Amino acid sequence: MPAFRYTVSDVMTHTAVAIGREASYKEIVELMDQWKVSAVPVLEGEGRVVGVVSEADLLPKEEFRRDDPVLPDQLEEASKAGGVLAEELMSSPAVTVHPDATLAEAARIMARKRVKRLPVVNDVGMLEGVVSRSDLLKVFLRPDEEIGEEIRDAVLAALAPQAHVQASVKDGVVTLRGSLRDRALVPLMARAVHAVEGVVDVRMELEGQPTGAS
């Protein structure tokens, strides 16, 4: 039985708050406050994402309110301080993700680009939803029983069907107990269990294998 893999489409918010190019600075701030979001995608046409306005794009208006000299590395931010419309404030092209991307892929994009939210777009760039950091953490809400069942069916049954290994799960932490003749399978089994969605940590107690060999 193959392991089930969550994708962005499983956790994203399908009803996304978005704006057009002509949205004003104040409208954007009010919308973010109303919906408690830190960024909104900018759309044109029938829903193609052309940029994103985030809190970071809005803050220069306050940061550069005074007439202090602007340093060379602040030019881009300073230019946004005079923006009043979404098309002047937005970061473009938008950093996006596809709905069939894995949660790990989305997390890597967020970390690399230092963003908190990603517009989810289809193959032609049309908005389908938004995924946030908190959405990616939803996978850790999986019940322990469900995680344990997947480990038994998709990992233990595949890697060591004849071995006497049992898996228990408590608060997302998996403990494998029992005997395993082929010791070369231990690191492979640990990696496979770690890959199961919702697993927080793996502890191995296999024929004297020390706890925490994850």
Side-chain angles (χ1 to χ4, degrees):
M1 175 181 175
F4 176 75
R5 287 290 169 266
Y6 281 84
T7 64
V8 167
S9 63
D10 295 315
V11 300
M12 72 182 189
T13 300
H14 291 266
T15 305
V17 181
I19 56 177
R21 285 180 176 271
E22 301 301 314
S24 71
Y25 185 100
K26 189 170 183 177
E27 287 173 336
I28 299 169
V29 174
E30 290 175 342
L31 195 64
M32 286 183 175
D33 180 67
Q34 177 184 352
W35 292 94
K36 308 303 179 188
V37 295
S38 59
V40 288
V42 182
L43 310 182
E44 71 175 8
E46 296 182 357
R48 186 170 64 87
V49 178
V50 293
V52 171
V53 176
S54 69
E55 292 170 335
D57 296 315
L58 299 174
L59 282 176
K61 190 170 289 294
E62 181 64 29
E63 181 181 357
F64 295 98
R65 184 179 296 277
R66 298 182 302 174
D67 294 329
D68 295 337
V70 177
L71 300 176
D73 61 352
Q74 296 177 318
L75 290 177
E76 183 178 354
E77 289 187 356
S79 67
K80 290 188 177 183
V84 295
L85 299 178
E87 63 182 359
E88 301 166 333
L89 298 160
M90 68 183 185
S91 296
S92 182
V95 180
T96 62
V97 68
H98 289 289
D100 58 354
T102 66
L103 302 191
E105 290 170 337
R108 282 194 291 270
I109 294 173
M110 287 184 184
R112 187 170 65 249
K113 298 297 185 179
R114 298 181 181 180
V115 296
K116 300 177 182 179
R117 297 165 62 84
L118 291 171
V120 183
V121 300
N122 61 19
D123 292 337
V124 294
M126 304 293 283
L127 183 68
E128 294 195 353
V130 171
V131 65
S132 67
R133 290 176 178 176
S134 60
D135 290 329
L136 298 184
L137 294 176
K138 289 177 183 178
V139 67
F140 292 104
L141 299 177
R142 290 186 75 188
D144 290 339
E145 295 79 9
E146 183 178 309
I147 295 172
E149 181 180 357
E150 180 175 338
I151 290 170
R152 288 186 289 271
D153 293 345
V155 178
L156 300 182
L159 292 179
Q162 305 303 320
H164 300 287
V165 178
Q166 295 182 333
S168 61
V169 187
K170 175 66 174 177
D171 295 330
V173 178
V174 179
T175 301
L176 298 181
R177 296 184 177 90
S179 59
L180 188 62
R181 180 174 300 177
D182 186 355
R183 307 303 294 171
L185 286 175
V186 172
L188 182 61
M189 187 175 293
R191 286 196 298 271
V193 173
H194 257 303
V196 173
E197 305 284 12
V199 170
V200 174
D201 194 16
V202 182
R203 299 176 180 177
M204 311 290 281
E205 298 179 5
L206 300 173
E207 292 187 343
Q209 183 75 12
T211 300
S214 56

XYZ file of all heavy atoms in Angstrom, residues 156-165 179-181 185 189:
110
model
N 6.169 -0.669 7.303
C 6.601 -1.942 7.879
C 6.267 -3.120 6.971
O 7.092 -4.030 6.778
C 5.971 -2.137 9.260
C 6.316 -1.072 10.310
C 5.670 -1.414 11.645
C 7.819 -0.932 10.460
N 5.072 -3.117 6.396
C 4.676 -4.222 5.532
C 5.519 -4.283 4.269
O 5.719 -5.363 3.700
C 3.198 -4.086 5.160
N 6.052 -3.152 3.842
C 6.845 -3.125 2.618
C 8.319 -3.417 2.870
O 8.962 -4.154 2.114
C 6.708 -1.756 1.941
N 8.869 -2.867 3.952
C 10.302 -3.005 4.205
C 10.662 -4.278 4.964
O 11.713 -4.873 4.722
C 10.823 -1.786 4.986
C 10.836 -0.459 4.235
C 11.352 0.652 5.145
C 11.715 -0.558 2.989
N 9.835 -4.653 5.889
C 10.176 -5.809 6.725
C 8.921 -6.617 7.048
O 8.496 -6.694 8.200
C 10.858 -5.333 8.005
N 8.314 -7.245 6.039
C 7.052 -7.960 6.263
C 7.186 -9.142 7.222
O 6.203 -9.522 7.871
C 6.661 -8.413 4.853
C 7.930 -8.430 4.088
C 8.736 -7.302 4.644
N 8.378 -9.737 7.305
C 8.567 -10.902 8.166
C 9.132 -10.530 9.537
O 9.286 -11.398 10.400
C 9.521 -11.895 7.478
C 9.087 -12.314 6.089
C 7.700 -12.927 6.065
O 7.345 -13.691 6.963
N 6.914 -12.583 5.062
N 9.470 -9.273 9.724
C 10.081 -8.856 10.991
C 9.017 -8.659 12.069
O 7.846 -8.421 11.775
C 10.859 -7.561 10.783
N 9.472 -8.759 13.308
C 8.573 -8.560 14.455
C 8.775 -7.130 14.974
O 9.397 -6.915 16.010
C 8.862 -9.581 15.542
C 8.675 -10.998 15.089
N 7.431 -11.550 14.873
C 9.580 -11.963 14.774
C 7.565 -12.807 14.463
N 8.862 -13.075 14.380
N 8.245 -6.195 14.206
C 8.378 -4.781 14.567
C 6.987 -4.194 14.734
O 6.117 -4.376 13.882
C 9.156 -3.993 13.487
C 9.225 -2.514 13.870
C 10.549 -4.560 13.306
N 12.227 -6.757 16.984
C 13.504 -7.286 16.493
C 13.563 -7.165 14.979
O 12.581 -7.359 14.287
C 13.665 -8.748 16.901
O 12.606 -9.525 16.376
N 14.747 -6.854 14.492
C 14.963 -6.695 13.063
C 16.307 -7.333 12.728
O 17.365 -6.829 13.116
C 14.969 -5.211 12.674
C 15.006 -4.881 11.185
C 13.761 -5.417 10.485
C 15.105 -3.371 10.980
N 16.254 -8.448 12.011
C 17.474 -9.194 11.731
C 18.416 -8.425 10.824
O 19.624 -8.404 11.054
C 17.114 -10.547 11.099
C 18.318 -11.417 10.767
C 17.871 -12.786 10.293
N 17.090 -13.471 11.343
C 16.533 -14.670 11.176
N 16.632 -15.293 10.017
N 15.869 -15.232 12.160
N 18.463 -2.259 7.489
C 17.148 -1.667 7.254
C 16.793 -0.578 8.267
O 15.856 0.177 8.048
C 16.066 -2.755 7.303
C 15.986 -3.710 6.114
C 14.942 -4.784 6.381
C 15.653 -2.951 4.837
N 14.361 2.363 7.386
C 13.040 2.364 8.021
C 12.785 3.689 8.726
O 11.676 4.242 8.661
C 12.956 1.198 9.006
C 11.588 0.990 9.619
S 11.549 -0.498 10.655
C 11.752 -1.784 9.409
